[in-house]
Amino acid sequence: MKVTVITGSSHKKGTSALLADKFIEGAREDGHDVFRFDAAFENVKPCLACEYCTSHDSQCISKDSMTALNEKLLEADMVVFVTPLYYYTMSTQVKAVIDRFHANNAKLSGNKKAILIATSYGADDETMEGLGKTYEAIIRFLS
Ligand SMILES: Cc1cc2nc3c(=O)[nH]c(=O)nc-3n(C[C@H](O)[C@H](O)[C@H](O)COP(=O)(O)O)c2cc1C
């Protein structure tokens, strides 16, 4: 399986980076082809909502790290999001990548599995509620 892992923390040795490392290690051991994209260390401009992509064959007006990531995203069988919880949702680094899906919504829809891995300081039942709802809505939209 081709797997694209998108991480969203600027802590190179943080909790979510460790979980990403372990996930990737296991996936590779099982023979999967893994591409890792550490969004915090890449150049991902925010979506401008300019709709340039709708009239330019899904090309984005911003030329940045998304060009390389899109290639991997489009061919991926599975996309894994790894994020620290920031104010009850995903980090800005991961959200910026997801916003840029806008250029390829149709091509990304209905043909992939997805996994969310998240870390937080809090550990009560409500901690992940906001992130869970947002993630489920995004996955429903792209199903
Ligand atoms: C800006 C910011 C917002 C945060 N918001 C939350 C939160 O809403 N709930 C929570 O439990 N932890 C919150 N945390 C704590 C992080 O989710 C937690 O420390 C996480 O494990 C960091 O992972 P990392 O080391 O991989 O970056 C926040 C941390 C930061 C820096």
Side-chain angles (χ1 to χ4, degrees), residues 23-106:
F23 178 90
I24 291 168
E25 197 181 300
R28 286 192 174 136
E29 271 170 23
D30 280 354
H32 299 289
D33 176 6
V34 182
F35 175 76
R36 177 177 184 148
F37 185 85
D38 293 314
F41 304 98
E42 296 285 350
N43 176 23
V44 180
K45 299 194 180 94
C47 175
L48 299 176
C50 64
E51 301 303 339
Y52 177 92
C53 54
T54 55
S55 56
H56 290 82
D57 193 27
S58 300
Q59 295 306 303
C60 185
I61 196 157
S62 299
K63 304 298 174 218
D64 57 18
S65 303
M66 285 302 293
T67 308
L69 177 60
N70 276 331
E71 237 180 80
K72 297 293 182 180
L73 275 173
L74 291 170
E75 67 179 26
D77 303 297
M78 174 183 280
V79 180
V80 183
F81 302 94
V82 189
T83 184
L85 188 72
Y86 281 1
Y87 289 93
Y88 301 96
T89 190
M90 63 195 70
S91 71
T92 299
Q93 289 90 336
V94 169
K95 186 59 165 48
V97 169
I98 293 176
D99 286 354
R100 294 283 296 280
F101 285 5
H102 184 61
N104 287 294
N105 270 339

Side-chain angles (χ1 to χ4, degrees), residues 9-11 14-17 84-89 119-123 127:
S9 172
S10 47
H11 294 155
T15 326
S16 53
L85 188 72
Y86 281 1
Y87 289 93
Y88 301 96
T89 190
T119 62
S120 66
Y121 171 78
T127 300

